[in-house]
Each structure stands twice: as C-alpha cells, then as structure tokens.
Amino acid sequence: MTDRPADADDAHPGPGPRPTGAGPGRLVVAVYGVLALAATARGVYQVATKLDEAPVAYLLSLAAGVVYIVATFALATGRRTLAWVTVSVELVGVLTVGVLSLVDVGDFPDETVWSGFGQGYGYVPFVLPLLGLWWLWRTGRPVDGTGEAARQPLG
C-alpha cells in the first residue's frame, strides 16, 4: 500500500489516466518549476523590500509564485484535482491581472508576473496554463491495454 492519494495517476497501473509528470509531462513540470522559482523569488523580494510602493502588484506576484509552486507539485505527483484547480486559478489570474494591468495602471505601478499577460516573462505565464490544462485533459483520457488513449465515441 502506498501513501499516495487515490487520484495519483500511477496508483492505477492498469488501464486509466496516464501520469501527468511522465514523458512530455516532465517538460511541463520543469517549466512550471522554473516559473515557480522565478515568481516566488521575485514576489518575496518585492514584498520584503518595497511593499509600500505597489502592494497590490507585489502581493499578486507572491500569490502567483505560490500558485505555481502548488501547480508544479500537483502535476509532478499526479494530483489531478489539485492540478486542475491551481492551473485554472492561474489562467483566471493571468487573464484578470493582464486586463487590469492594462486598463487600471494606477493599481499596478510596477509589474507583476501576470502583468500584461506575462509580458515580462515572454508570455509564458499566459501560454503555460493553456498548455497545463490541455495536458491534464490529454492525460486524463482513459488508456486501453496497449497504452494508447482509448477512443471514446462522440455524442
């Protein structure tokens, strides 16, 4: 018996969903990990040294870092429900902050990880949740005995 959660992908060695952190998923997890480190370090530094200059922006940067840490953990360990929630929160966050940072510049006198839809990070914060959600959907499809995704009839 393992102490992994019931929704962990590799807890079911037979037919079923594929692991989120295996194969190409390793690259997804790696990019999440790098972004988690970058965003968290930036947020911690900003909050610790100049919170009074732009509290909303700096707290959002720190919050983004925490979201990336949890998403990285969830994807790496196959905790699908947690991954779906955190990656969805990430997408909503980057879209919301992206729009607000362009419309209401007063609340964002300095950039956050999600400002301008992640422009300061090469738009990776915008593309990554889309990739993450697609990967969760793709690996969540049942697998037949050959390791291929089972084709399910439409309708």
Side-chain angles (χ1 to χ4, degrees):
M1 184 60 138
T2 172
D3 57 350
R4 300 282 308 270
D7 70 342
D9 295 335
D10 60 358
H12 305 292
R18 290 167 285 171
T20 55
R26 288 184 179 138
L27 179 60
V28 174
V29 171
V31 173
Y32 264 99
V34 169
L35 200 54
L37 289 172
T40 303
R42 177 183 186 162
V44 167
Y45 171 77
Q46 290 172 327
V47 167
T49 61
K50 49 187 183 176
L51 181 62
D52 56 329
E53 294 175 23
V56 173
Y58 297 153
L59 289 171
L60 277 171
S61 280
L62 186 57
V66 171
V67 168
Y68 288 124
I69 289 170
V70 176
T72 302
F73 169 77
L75 287 165
T77 60
R79 288 165 170 82
R80 288 186 173 283
T81 303
L82 182 60
W84 275 104
V85 169
T86 55
V87 175
S88 297
V89 165
E90 173 194 357
L91 181 59
V92 169
V94 75
L95 292 175
T96 303
V97 173
V99 169
L100 291 177
S101 66
L102 299 175
V103 173
D104 189 7
V105 181
D107 279 342
F108 299 94
D110 199 359
E111 290 188 359
T112 73
V113 174
W114 292 337
S115 293
F117 304 101
Q119 180 179 10
Y121 286 81
Y123 297 100
V124 171
F126 175 72
V127 174
L128 195 56
L130 299 173
L131 178 64
L133 290 171
W134 173 81
W135 184 247
L136 284 165
W137 172 80
R138 175 106 169 99
T139 60
R141 297 170 56 203
V143 177
D144 65 17
T146 67
E148 295 294 319
R151 301 218 185 266
Q152 297 177 347
L154 297 175

